[in-house]
């Protein structure tokens, strides 16, 4: 994070969307879809865990969307339909063409976390930007101590990547604890908020790095629980969301105090972010 | 096999309590088990006990017409289940059902209330610990009231 709002020059062509073909579309929940995109000409894009892309529904508009997967030159995004642009992107059928810019932003500190425990805390669609980090942690499992994913959603029907989570649990390489805010009779899992899981989760607070993404209020409560457990503020990392428009630090829409979320985020260290989170107007 | 007193000495809820106090409390305690799916108590019934879960999980539920039983919260190993035994009218406010096989220590509420009345220091200790549990659950419930996963719309 830098203290200056004066942006560096963006890379050439960073404002020009590249055409990508929508190869597959899979429904995750009642309002959330996972899209697989293939570049129409040119090289594939290899974003790092935590980065985001700008997705353009031609004639409708452009929004920032975190990367939920990237393999063999294909990009995967998990998008919740909450407005005109995300609605158009979610409604696009296989064979449609979307505009793509990026990758942009900072990454989850997976290299920094090696040798210690990692606790990943996700709320709702906040699991999407953490998915590539979780996949990376599982692939390089031997480099870490305890690795635990704590995931919370509104109801069982709102949980993302259910089959993947089941497989993750069965493989047993990562600890997994899932909770929902409310459930009908028949749900065999936990009911309660995700920060509640932190007090009993398996990790050593002295060595653990925490990766957190979800609604900002949920992250605030999660950070409080992590601090209470003894995790140092500089070992807690949050993915922030603001109104990102240009994604290259020019327009200033995503300003958060002296920082620009598109350029200095979306992943921030909590000790650097904490003073900004205390300012309600930001 | 461990005695009730030994088990209580290991319980997070009783952390820091003096051995003689644990001994006193264990006089009102017994070990119990519930099979998965078994009701532990029902809303409106007389609340004469509370439970310290050692293994398994329990669903707190209420019945909503046209929706059926709705799970409000799950209580996990290490947590306490039930505080209606402590305050009049001593009636359960919700249903509790074992989600898995459950092993717990059950406390006789009337016995414990009697010991608290005779020994205010014990009463203060217990009520302080229940208050801490109540506050934690109240804060988590407040967070859920915000419905943080609801739609915000595009910004």
């Amino acid at each position: 994070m830098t203290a200056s709002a004066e942006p560096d020059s963006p890379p050439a062509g960073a404002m020009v969307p590249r055409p990508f073909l929508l190869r597959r579309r899979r429904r995750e929940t009642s309002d959330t879809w996972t899209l697989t995109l293939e570049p129409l000409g040119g090289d594939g894009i290899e974003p790092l865990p935590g980065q985001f892309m700008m997705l353009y529904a031609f004639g409708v508009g452009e929004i920032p969307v975190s990367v939920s997967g990237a393999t063999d030159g294909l990009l995967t995004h998990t998008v919740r339909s909450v407005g005109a642009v995300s609605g158009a992107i979610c409604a696009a059928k296989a064979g449609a063409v979307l505009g793509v810019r990026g990758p942009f932003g900072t990454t989850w500190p997976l290299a920094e976390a090696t040798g210690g425990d990692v606790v990943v805390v996700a709320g709702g669609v906040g699991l999407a930007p953490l998915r590539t980090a979780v996949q990376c942690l599982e692939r390089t499992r031997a480099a870490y101590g305890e690795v635990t994913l704590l995931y919370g959603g509104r109801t069982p029907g709102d949980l993302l990547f259910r089959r993947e989570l089941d497989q993750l649990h069965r493989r047993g390489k990562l600890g997994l604890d899932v909770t929902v805010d409310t459930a009908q009779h028949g749900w065999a899992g936990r009911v309660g908020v995700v920060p509640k899981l932190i007090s009993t989760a398996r990790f050593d607070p002295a060595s653990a790095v925490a990766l957190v993404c979800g609604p900002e209020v949920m992250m605030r409560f999660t950070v409080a629980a992590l601090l209470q457990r003894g995790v140092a503020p500089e070992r807690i990392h949050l993915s922030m969301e603001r109104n990102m428009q240009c994604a290259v630090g020019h327009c200033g829409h995503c300003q958060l105090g002296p920082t620009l979320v598109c350029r200095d985020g979306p992943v921030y260290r909590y000790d650097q972010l904490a003073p900004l989170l205390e300012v309600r107007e930001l | 096999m461990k005695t009730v007193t030994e088990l209580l000495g290991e319980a997070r809820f009783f952390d820091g309590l003096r051995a003689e106090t644990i001994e006193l409390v264990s006089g009102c305690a017994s070990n119990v088990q519930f099979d998965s799916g078994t009701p532990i108590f029902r809303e409106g019934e007389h609340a004469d006990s509370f439970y310290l879960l050692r293994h398994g999980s329990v669903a707190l539920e209420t019945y909503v017409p046209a929706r059926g039983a709705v799970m409000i919260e799950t209580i996990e190993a290490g947590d306490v289940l039930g505080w209606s035994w402590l305050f009049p009218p001593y009636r359960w406010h919700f249903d509790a059902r074992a989600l898995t096989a459950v092993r717990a220590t059950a406390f006789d509420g009337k016995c414990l209330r009697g010991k608290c009345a005779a020994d205010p220091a014990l009463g203060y200790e217990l009520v302080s610990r229940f208050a801490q549990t109540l506050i934690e659950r109240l804060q988590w419930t407040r967070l859920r009231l915000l419905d943080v996963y609801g739609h915000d719309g595009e910004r």
Side-chain angles (χ1 to χ4, degrees):
Chain A
M1 191 162 81
T2 66
S4 165
E6 192 61 40
D8 298 322
S9 294
M15 291 300 293
V16 181
R18 283 178 57 189
F20 272 62
L21 180 74
L22 175 54
R23 280 264 298 262
R24 284 188 299 276
R25 190 178 71 131
R26 186 183 74 224
R27 187 170 209 154
E28 297 288 348
T29 69
S30 62
D31 60 5
T32 304
W33 299 79
T34 291
L35 315 174
T36 305
L37 303 172
E38 178 184 4
L40 279 174
D43 294 335
I45 294 174
E46 292 184 4
L48 297 169
Q51 290 191 301
F52 71 96
M53 312 292 293
M54 296 299 292
L55 297 191
Y56 187 14
F58 292 109
V60 185
E62 193 184 44
I63 52 169
V65 181
S66 58
V67 178
S68 62
T71 45
D72 304 326
L74 300 178
L75 273 180
T76 305
H77 291 282
T78 300
V79 185
R80 189 178 185 193
S81 174
V82 293
V85 184
S86 57
I89 289 170
C90 286
K93 300 282 190 291
V97 175
L98 296 173
V100 173
R101 292 194 292 128
F104 301 112
T106 53
T107 63
W108 296 113
L110 299 179
E112 179 191 314
T114 55
D117 294 352
V118 182
V119 56
V120 180
V121 190
V125 287
L127 182 58
L130 283 162
R131 184 179 180 227
T132 50
V134 170
Q135 289 168 343
C136 188
L137 287 165
E138 197 182 17
R139 272 199 310 274
T140 55
R141 183 65 188 84
Y144 303 93
E146 293 282 349
V147 179
T148 304
L149 169 60
L150 310 176
Y151 177 39
R154 193 185 205 183
T155 71
D158 294 313
L159 295 173
L160 299 181
F161 315 128
R162 286 285 292 274
R163 192 189 300 174
E164 266 181 56
L165 292 176
D166 288 343
Q167 289 168 349
L168 190 72
H169 183 62
R170 274 201 295 275
R171 287 195 294 272
K173 290 172 85 173
L174 274 62
L176 173 66
D177 224 337
V178 177
T179 188
V180 294
D181 280 2
T182 182
Q184 298 292 111
H185 188 96
W187 166 249
R190 290 176 187 256
V191 178
V193 293
V194 68
K196 185 183 168 187
L197 305 179
I198 288 165
S199 66
T200 52
R202 283 185 61 170
F203 64 87
D204 171 19
S207 80
V209 165
L211 316 179
V212 186
C213 186
E216 206 163 306
V217 178
M218 165 258 162
M219 291 202 287
R220 253 184 14 232
F221 277 79
T222 299
V223 167
L226 287 165
L227 294 173
Q228 190 174 2
R229 181 81 191 264
V231 181
E234 66 272 19
R235 301 178 76 86
I236 300 172
H237 301 263
L238 312 179
S239 181
M240 297 298 291
E241 191 181 62
R242 284 295 183 271
N243 178 10
M244 290 186 269
Q245 304 253 326
C246 73
V248 292
H250 271 177
C251 74
H253 279 87
C254 63
Q255 184 177 355
L256 180 61
T259 81
L260 295 170
V261 177
C262 70
R263 185 192 61 191
D264 307 313
V267 178
Y268 288 89
R269 252 173 53 184
Y270 176 68
D271 61 322
Q272 295 170 333
L273 194 61
L276 306 180
L277 292 179
E278 288 165 9
V279 183
R280 294 184 177 197
E281 291 76 14
L282 292 180
Chain B
M1 207 166 83
K2 290 180 179 173
T3 65
V4 170
T5 308
E6 287 168 333
L7 290 169
L8 296 187
E10 295 168 3
R12 194 172 63 226
F13 185 71
F14 290 118
D15 260 356
L17 215 56
R18 290 181 302 145
E20 53 269 35
T21 310
I22 290 178
E23 185 75 44
L24 190 65
V25 167
S26 64
C28 299
S30 60
N31 287 331
V32 292
Q33 295 187 36
F34 299 96
D35 293 332
S36 174
T38 310
I40 298 174
F41 52 74
R42 299 284 296 255
E43 182 179 334
E45 286 178 353
H46 183 57
D48 54 2
S49 53
F50 81 93
Y51 303 87
L52 184 58
L53 303 195
R54 297 198 315 276
H55 174 85
S57 63
V58 172
L60 275 183
E61 297 177 331
T62 194
Y63 184 81
V64 180
R67 284 176 65 188
V70 174
M71 290 170 68
I72 294 160
E73 191 166 26
T74 51
I75 311 293
E76 312 293 334
D79 290 339
V80 289
L81 168 67
W83 52 63
S84 300
W85 65 278
L86 197 50
F87 307 103
Y90 310 118
R91 299 274 166 197
W92 296 119
H93 293 87
F94 297 104
D95 297 345
R97 177 175 57 89
L99 273 179
T100 63
V102 167
R103 289 198 300 273
T105 303
F107 294 83
D108 180 326
K110 196 173 174 186
C111 166
L112 216 47
R113 286 199 307 269
K115 290 191 178 185
C116 289
D119 181 352
L122 170 66
Y124 176 77
E125 270 294 342
L126 276 184
V127 171
S128 297
R129 284 157 199 266
F130 270 95
Q132 180 66 36
T133 301
L134 278 161
I135 287 165
E136 281 171 14
R137 293 193 193 162
L138 174 63
Q139 304 295 32
W140 299 140
T141 304
R142 284 171 169 166
L143 178 56
R144 278 197 283 168
L145 280 175
L146 292 173
D147 191 19
V148 294
Y149 305 120
H151 279 203
D152 259 355
E154 282 164 15
R155 286 180 287 186

